[in-house]
Amino acid sequence: MTRPKIYIDGQSGTTGLEIRQRLADRSDIDLLIIPEDRRHEEAARKQMFEEADLAFLCLPDEAAREAVQLAEGTGVRLIDASTAHRTAWTYGFPELDRNQEERIRQADKVANPGCHATGFIAAVAPLSRSGLLDPETVLTAFSLTGYTGGGKKMIAAYETGKTPQMEAPKAYGLDLNHKHLPEMM
């Protein structure tokens, strides 16, 4: 049996680097590495999708949507780490219900769940499924986050020019229009 070939589209971003590091020393897969100077070339990326059995999309939302179009027809299975497809694709949370793990195994496109949404869903879904929580109940979710999910620019700002204001938590996403809200609902 041949080893699965895995490509990371967005391999130089924070998520892509983490996945690449975790997969780099594995002998049971072939990690496809796109040359740094070609990572923005559509033809080079398309070739990687064609060669890969599985690809991780570690891109901003709009770029992830574009990557799906680029991968169309290649037969590659996709796991998207962005929020672009979390409510449209198979949700990559095997503990969600007794059939979710099999759905993930069979899916060609899997949306990787968000960390804050996963914590919320892990607590709320069983209560809702069991009837202990009315689906119409209004809930509030509170969580704290760091800065690494904000991308390279935010990481650089925090690591090279941190201001006193950056030291304290601040509220955001209070307008009920946060990008994780559809996933949590």
Side-chain angles (χ1 to χ4, degrees):
M1 182 172 144
T2 61
R3 296 185 305 196
K5 295 178 180 156
I6 298 176
Y7 167 56
I8 304 166
D9 195 18
Q11 66 192 22
S12 65
T14 53
T15 303
L17 285 169
E18 182 71 25
I19 292 172
R20 183 176 171 176
Q21 180 182 11
R22 289 173 184 245
L23 297 179
D25 295 329
R26 292 190 50 163
S27 61
D28 60 333
I29 63 166
D30 288 328
L31 189 56
L32 304 177
I33 305 296
I34 193 168
E36 183 66 24
D37 63 337
R38 299 196 65 209
R39 67 187 177 97
H40 292 293
E41 290 180 22
E42 196 170 288
R45 292 172 59 219
K46 175 91 173 174
Q47 181 181 351
M48 290 288 147
F49 285 127
E50 289 170 348
E51 291 178 24
D53 299 299
L54 173 71
F56 289 93
L57 306 181
C58 301
L59 304 162
D61 290 356
E62 190 54 39
R65 289 182 192 95
E66 292 169 5
V68 171
Q69 295 299 315
L70 196 58
E72 196 67 38
T74 64
V76 67
R77 295 178 73 196
L78 300 173
I79 298 176
D80 184 12
S82 79
T83 62
H85 303 101
R86 288 189 182 154
T87 59
W89 289 4
T90 300
Y91 199 62
F93 188 0
E95 299 85 359
L96 191 59
D97 69 44
R98 71 181 74 204
N99 300 313
Q100 194 65 13
E101 183 176 350
E102 188 57 29
R103 287 184 198 111
I104 294 166
R105 287 182 196 281
Q106 299 299 320
D108 290 328
K109 296 175 179 173
V110 175
N112 188 65
C115 54
H116 300 288
T118 298
F120 177 82
I121 293 166
V124 173
L127 297 173
S128 182
R129 252 195 322 276
S130 69
L132 293 171
L133 179 66
D134 184 328
E136 300 302 315
T137 302
V138 176
L139 300 173
T140 299
F142 175 83
S143 61
L144 288 175
T145 187
Y147 57 85
T148 58
K152 289 181 181 181
K153 288 180 185 174
M154 185 179 284
I155 292 169
Y158 271 80
E159 292 182 355
T160 61
K162 191 182 292 185
T163 66
Q165 292 81 9
M166 292 174 158
E167 296 288 341
K170 62 183 173 194
Y172 79 102
L174 301 176
D175 61 357
L176 296 179
N177 194 27
H178 193 277
K179 71 180 196 171
H180 296 299
L181 192 56
E183 177 182 1
M184 293 164 74
M185 292 175 75

